[in-house]
């Protein structure tokens, strides 16, 4: 059964790849107080963002498998599931291209402010201008700038490839050092050095207890005043008040985030009230192509489990 299927399939996707494995029940959304009631008799539970904590898992006697409809699995208490002998599986690769593409949509918006200039044109600012061209702020050219990538997994590597195609130098940090990519102008750095040297810092690492809020005042203070910060990973990686303060004080040229610490975003989030901060609603992963891959990969996860050879197990 699926606890929260609407985001994955608001009507344009299909659950058909999962139907051969048994009786499939799909709920668009499940509030916390209804999780146990709805999942009590389920043997396989699929969740995207609905939390399955230790207390909840303990109340699901028939549970045999938890499928996370995403790559990040911090919404499941994997240790509690392991103690119960319940595998937790995720989908490690489905949104690589979509998230990397959205990362550059955010970056290019910071560089060109297309939305701002479109609005100004429609408000007749260009028509009133004395010259043939008009801009509210000059565009930023990426060639020759340095892209710093924290988390050089599948998505981080794809972002690096695109950055290289734009003529950027690429720095990477975080996690194990993978083989150096084939393109030139690439360097491994530690995180403080990366933040100090990069013109753009893009976060692509998972959220863990160890790195929560690691983008703090001290690290932000190392960044160039002309630099941009991008986050399409997890909101909890960033100290949002520290980022808001840096933007408000002009110590950072801009930030663009697809994720925040509490989602949906709360009205009191400090990033809503500062300049040069672009926010999108956790949508980077959500192309139809990526969501179709996600359903198909989840079906393969279920099939592998039923055949006695579970794959993509995270606990």
């Amino acid at each position: 059964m699926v606890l929260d299927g609407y985001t994955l399939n608001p009507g344009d996707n299909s659950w058909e790849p999962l139907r051969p494995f048994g009786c499939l029940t799909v709920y668009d959304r499940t509030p916390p107080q209804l999780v146990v009631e709805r999942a009590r008799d389920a043997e396989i539970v699929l969740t995207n963002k609905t939390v399955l904590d230790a207390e909840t898992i303990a109340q699901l006697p028939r549970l045999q498998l938890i499928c996370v409809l995403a790559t990040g699995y911090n919404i499941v208490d994997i240790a509690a599931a392991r103690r119960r002998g319940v595998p937790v599986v995720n989908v490690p690769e489905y949104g690589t291209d979509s998230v990397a593409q959205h990362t550059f949509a955010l970056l290019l918006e910071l560089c060109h402010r297309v939305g701002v200039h479109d609005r100004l044109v429609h408000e007749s600012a260009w028509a009133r201008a004395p010259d043939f061209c008009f801009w509210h702020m000059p565009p930023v050219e990426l060639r020759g700038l340095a892209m710093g990538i924290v988390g050089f997994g599948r998505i981080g590597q794809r972002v690096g490839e695109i950055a290289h195609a734009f003529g950027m130098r690429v720095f990477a940090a975080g996690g194990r050092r993978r083989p150096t990519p084939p393109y030139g102008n690439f360097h491994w750095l530690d995180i403080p050095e990366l933040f100090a040297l990069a013109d753009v810092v893009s976060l692509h690492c998972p959220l863990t207890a160890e790195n929560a809020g690691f983008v703090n005042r001290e690290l932000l203070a190392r960044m160039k005043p002309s630099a941009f910060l991008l986050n399409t990973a997890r909101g909890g990686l960033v100290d949002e008040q520290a980022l808001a303060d840096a933007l408000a004080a002009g110590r950072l040229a801009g930030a663009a985030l697809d994720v925040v610490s509490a989602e949906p975003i709360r009205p009191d989030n400090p990033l809503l009230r500062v300049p040069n901060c672009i926010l999108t609603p956790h949508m980077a992963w959500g192309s139809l192509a990526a969501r179709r891959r996600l359903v198909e990969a989840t079906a393969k996860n279920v099939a592998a489990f039923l055949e006695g050879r579970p794959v993509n197990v995270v606990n």
Side-chain angles (χ1 to χ4, degrees):
M1 62 94 64
V2 182
L3 288 170
D4 51 356
Y6 184 83
T7 303
L8 181 56
N9 179 19
D12 58 354
N13 205 350
S14 173
W15 297 110
E16 287 307 310
L18 289 164
R19 295 195 184 280
F21 304 115
C23 179
L24 177 66
T25 301
V26 179
Y27 293 99
D28 283 347
R29 303 168 186 85
T30 298
Q33 66 272 20
L34 292 181
V35 172
V36 172
E37 176 184 329
R38 291 181 174 179
R40 182 177 287 114
D41 295 324
E43 295 170 314
I44 299 175
V45 172
L46 284 65
T47 179
N48 189 321
K49 291 296 180 287
T50 299
V51 173
L52 293 173
D53 56 20
E55 182 180 357
T56 300
I57 291 170
Q59 297 179 73
L60 304 178
R62 302 187 64 188
L63 184 63
Q64 297 181 29
L65 176 69
I66 297 172
C67 292
V68 180
L69 297 165
T71 300
Y73 47 85
N74 55 298
I75 45 91
V76 178
D77 189 325
I78 60 172
R82 183 173 61 247
R83 289 192 296 269
R84 276 277 312 274
V86 175
V88 178
V89 300
N90 72 337
V91 182
E93 184 174 10
Y94 69 93
T96 299
D97 292 306
S98 290
V99 176
Q101 179 177 311
H102 192 87
T103 298
F104 274 85
L106 294 175
L107 177 55
L108 291 173
E109 183 63 24
L110 285 171
C111 289
H112 295 274
R113 300 302 173 103
V114 171
V116 171
H117 287 95
D118 172 74
R119 175 176 56 78
L120 291 171
V121 169
H122 282 87
E123 292 173 354
S124 300
W126 189 20
R128 294 191 300 267
D131 303 303
F132 72 95
C133 61
F134 164 85
W135 57 72
H136 182 61
M137 65 281 286
V140 175
E141 183 175 290
L142 292 177
R143 178 170 290 277
L145 299 185
M147 168 68 84
I149 301 169
V150 181
F152 207 58
R154 293 179 180 89
I155 296 173
Q157 290 175 60
R158 187 60 52 84
V159 168
E161 292 170 2
I162 300 171
H164 173 70
F166 271 100
M168 302 180 76
R169 294 171 289 140
V170 179
F171 304 150
R176 64 183 179 87
R177 294 196 171 187
R178 301 169 185 272
T180 299
Y183 50 82
N185 267 334
F186 175 89
H187 300 280
W188 289 103
L189 302 176
D190 61 26
I191 287 176
E193 188 178 16
L194 182 147
F195 271 73
L197 296 179
D199 299 289
V200 181
V201 175
S202 192
L203 306 182
H204 299 286
C205 50
L207 175 63
T208 67
E210 290 72 32
N211 69 7
F214 85 97
V215 183
N216 55 22
R217 294 183 188 278
E218 291 73 25
L219 208 50
L220 291 167
R222 298 180 67 91
M223 295 182 71
K224 302 175 184 178
S226 58
F228 297 136
L229 176 71
L230 310 176
N231 187 8
T232 55
R234 287 292 182 268
L237 297 168
V238 177
D239 179 335
E240 291 170 341
Q241 187 61 60
L243 176 58
D245 292 344
L247 290 167
R251 296 193 299 270
L252 198 62
L257 306 94
D258 187 52
V259 289
V260 292
S261 58
E263 298 174 346
I265 195 168
R266 294 174 179 170
D268 62 350
N269 189 303
L271 296 175
L272 290 170
R273 293 178 293 281
V274 292
N276 300 324
C277 186
I278 295 169
L279 297 165
T280 54
H282 203 142
M283 60 181 287
W285 68 281
S287 70
L288 178 56
R291 288 183 283 115
R292 282 175 173 165
R293 285 193 293 270
L294 182 48
V295 173
E296 291 164 359
T298 300
K300 292 178 181 178
N301 281 347
V302 174
F305 170 77
L306 294 176
E307 292 167 4
R309 48 174 188 84
V311 296
N312 299 319
V313 179
V314 299
N315 66 335

